[in-house]
Amino acid sequence: MKLKTISKVLATAALAGGMSVAQAEDPINIGFVYVGPTGDAGWTYAHDEARKYVEEQLGDKVKTTYVESVPEGADGERVIRQLASKGNDLIFTTSFGYMNPTLKVAKKFPKVAFEHASGYKRADNMGTYFTRAYQGRYLTGLIAGKMTESNVLGYVASFPIPEVIRGINAFTKGAKEVNPDVQVKVVWASTWYDPAKEREAAETLILQGADVLTQHTDSAAVIQAAEAKGKY
């Protein structure tokens, strides 16, 4: 995202948060709520790199803070409320399970702007954002369908929510387009970030004949498990 675009987003967020023009000249305080650790090498890491980029590009126009490894649910609501109470003008809640807690807190803090990743509920001061990740998953499906020799592909999934199911469907569609005989086997890890569970899921898929694996979880454990077994 270019600097001009970032500035426009922050200016819009400032207005959505009910700040006056004079107030908008002060640094915009931005809070981030992360579902995993910043060192997960995946989802949270990418979000935090973006946070750092905003600071680098906008300098003293913004001041950011973050809380990592926040469980979805009651703990999420508590942390979101704390960030709103501490004077943040804009808060990013970066996991699907923060959707209802974010909406609840947004109603209590109408002058704060909230942006929620991957959800579908909105309010006057709460928006949503997400990438078209399913497009990339479709392309990896095309590749996996051509590469497999066993005709079994493995997919380590987190939770059965819209964004994850979209990804599985897109990957499967791509694979079957080039290889109608291919099977996509899914193991639900029931976590976003738990390297042990993710590795166990990957090893289970390999035992079931999968020779190409993909994932919708946040650690590198699936990649490491595949490499250890000589799989893609």
Side-chain angles (χ1 to χ4, degrees):
M1 185 182 292
K2 295 181 179 180
L3 176 59
K4 184 176 180 181
T5 304
I6 295 172
S7 300
K8 184 177 179 181
V9 169
L10 294 179
T12 302
L15 294 173
M19 292 162 37
S20 68
V21 174
Q23 286 175 314
E25 294 175 354
D26 297 327
I28 296 176
N29 296 308
I30 310 173
F32 294 79
V33 185
Y34 297 148
V35 72
T38 56
D40 69 358
W43 177 258
T44 295
Y45 170 81
H47 261 97
D48 202 53
E49 287 296 291
R51 178 190 65 81
K52 293 175 185 176
Y53 183 77
V54 168
E55 285 193 332
E56 176 187 316
Q57 295 297 311
L58 298 181
D60 58 8
K61 294 180 181 179
V62 298
K63 181 178 180 182
T64 74
T65 186
Y66 69 89
V67 184
E68 61 184 329
S69 299
V70 179
E72 297 169 324
D75 282 344
E77 181 181 337
R78 175 181 56 79
V79 171
I80 296 165
R81 188 182 301 275
Q82 285 179 346
L83 288 172
S85 300
K86 290 180 178 179
N88 282 288
D89 307 300
L90 172 62
I91 298 173
F92 288 89
T93 57
T94 65
S95 191
F96 184 84
Y98 297 147
M99 180 172 62
N100 289 329
T102 302
L103 184 61
K104 187 174 180 180
V105 176
K107 291 178 179 179
K108 298 288 186 180
F109 292 87
K111 292 186 177 182
V112 178
F114 296 84
E115 289 292 336
H116 175 245
S118 78
Y120 54 85
K121 293 184 179 180
R122 298 176 180 176
D124 290 343
N125 62 328
M126 176 182 166
T128 58
Y129 66 96
F130 200 51
T131 64
R132 294 188 177 98
Y134 56 87
Q135 293 181 341
R137 295 193 185 279
Y138 168 77
L139 295 176
T140 58
L142 290 173
I143 296 168
K146 281 289 191 180
M147 290 178 64
T148 181
E149 296 180 359
S150 66
N151 281 342
V152 179
L153 307 178
Y155 203 115
V156 178
S158 48
F159 299 98
I161 59 174
E163 63 173 287
V164 179
I165 294 171
R166 268 200 309 272
I168 295 169
N169 289 345
F171 178 80
T172 303
K173 183 177 177 63
K176 284 190 172 291
E177 184 169 318
V178 297
N179 184 351
D181 297 326
V182 78
Q183 289 182 295
V184 177
K185 294 189 176 183
V186 179
V187 171
W188 297 97
S190 298
T191 181
W192 291 114
Y193 179 81
D194 187 324
K197 285 186 178 180
E198 294 171 63
R199 176 178 285 273
E200 182 180 357
E203 291 174 345
T204 297
L205 288 164
I206 292 170
L207 287 172
Q208 293 177 359
D211 61 352
V212 183
L213 303 181
T214 190
Q215 68 189 94
H216 195 146
T217 51
D218 293 348
S219 85
V222 175
I223 298 168
Q224 293 164 348
E227 184 178 30
K229 299 292 185 179
K231 309 299 180 182
Y232 288 103

